[in-house]
Amino acid sequence: MAIVLDPTWKEALEPEFLKPYWQELTAKVRKEYQIKKVYPPAGKILRAFDLCPLDRVKVVIVGQDPYHGAGQANGLSFSVNTGIPLPPSLQNIFKEIQSDMKIEPLPSGDLIRWATQGVLMLNSVLTVLANKPASHGGIGWEQFTDTVIQTLNAKRIHLVYMLWGKYAQTKGESINRDQNLVLTSGHPSPYSAPLFFGNHHFSQCNKYLLNQGVEPIDWR
């Protein structure tokens, strides 16, 4: 799988692409795309990085793996293509934004509008087999995205990390809390939404960014 990636990320992650696990990972993923239905479309696997260069990241929202239904996954965590019904987790994210920020989120579930403002919508696992959640877990993506977080931790400060649920919180254990704002709560899925609602992460995020002299995020 050729690495076509935003130059800032490609330079920072170049050593990773030479490691044996990456070669094994990309060979497996390439084969899966050839013989099975895999999401997101191959050209959008690294979309989160292309829309949000390393030097422009302000916020990191960590998800688990892409949506596994037809037409949903588009390379951004929690995001779906325009015209696709909002999954329950995204519905709950929008509800919290409305409650917290007193604004009405736009109807489209494609969160490109956040990504281009500096929100890295990072899934831990970047591909999935159709109708088989977590099917590409454990094949190497987690090592790669751990390195992404470690790279941000080493090269950037004063970022906001939103870690929803135990999985994301474990993923973010290495983040320097003294130099960044790390916000944690329950996951926005219906099973844990009561632990997500009322977390005020979006307003806390913008307050922190403003205090750092950084343009806040328009969460609509």
Side-chain angles (χ1 to χ4, degrees):
M1 191 165 59
I3 307 302
V4 180
L5 185 62
D6 167 79
T8 63
W9 282 111
K10 190 167 186 177
E11 180 182 0
L13 298 172
E14 194 75 49
E16 212 65 13
F17 303 140
L18 304 176
K19 294 181 179 179
Y21 91 88
W22 179 263
Q23 307 303 321
E24 295 171 10
L25 166 64
T26 53
K28 179 178 177 61
V29 170
R30 187 187 305 113
K31 184 176 181 180
E32 296 267 70
Y33 271 92
Q34 290 171 348
I35 63 175
K36 299 178 181 179
K37 189 67 177 176
V38 186
Y39 300 125
K44 293 187 176 181
I45 295 174
L46 300 175
R47 185 178 184 226
F49 304 96
D50 291 329
L51 291 173
C52 191
L54 175 60
D55 56 352
R56 290 180 53 203
V57 176
K58 301 176 183 178
V59 183
V60 183
I61 298 180
V62 178
Q64 192 158 352
D65 66 340
Y67 295 118
H68 55 86
Q72 291 183 302
N74 63 16
L76 306 179
S77 62
F78 295 102
S79 175
V80 292
N81 289 312
T82 297
I84 298 294
L86 302 184
S89 290
L90 188 52
Q91 290 182 38
N92 287 338
I93 291 169
F94 282 6
K95 287 177 183 176
E96 176 60 22
I97 289 171
Q98 186 171 16
S99 172
D100 184 24
M101 302 295 293
K102 311 306 182 209
I103 58 175
E104 184 76 34
L106 297 173
S108 172
D110 190 348
L111 303 180
I112 185 174
R113 59 188 184 272
W114 297 356
T116 54
Q117 295 180 74
V119 183
L120 181 65
M121 312 293 297
L122 180 67
N123 274 320
S124 175
V125 175
L126 301 186
T127 56
V128 68
L129 292 176
N131 305 313
K132 293 185 177 180
S135 49
H136 278 182
I139 65 171
W141 282 127
E142 293 93 341
Q143 183 172 343
F144 174 68
T145 51
D146 280 347
T147 300
V148 170
I149 292 174
Q150 290 160 11
T151 298
L152 284 166
N153 201 39
K155 294 181 176 294
R156 298 291 313 281
I157 60 172
H158 304 319
L159 302 185
V160 180
Y161 292 84
M162 296 185 182
L163 307 178
W164 300 329
K166 292 192 181 302
Y167 183 92
Q169 289 161 27
T170 299
K171 189 85 174 168
E173 285 178 348
S174 65
I175 299 166
N176 185 329
R177 266 71 173 169
D178 294 328
Q179 295 185 318
N180 303 279
L181 177 63
V182 179
L183 300 172
T184 63
S185 76
H187 193 276
S189 76
Y191 303 104
S192 54
L195 301 174
F196 173 79
F197 289 134
N199 64 22
H200 300 290
H201 282 184
F202 303 97
S203 59
Q204 289 184 67
C205 168
N206 280 1
K207 181 179 179 181
Y208 180 84
L209 293 176
L210 282 168
N211 287 341
Q212 304 304 324
V214 176
E215 184 77 19
I217 306 299
D218 180 352
W219 291 109
R220 283 174 287 189

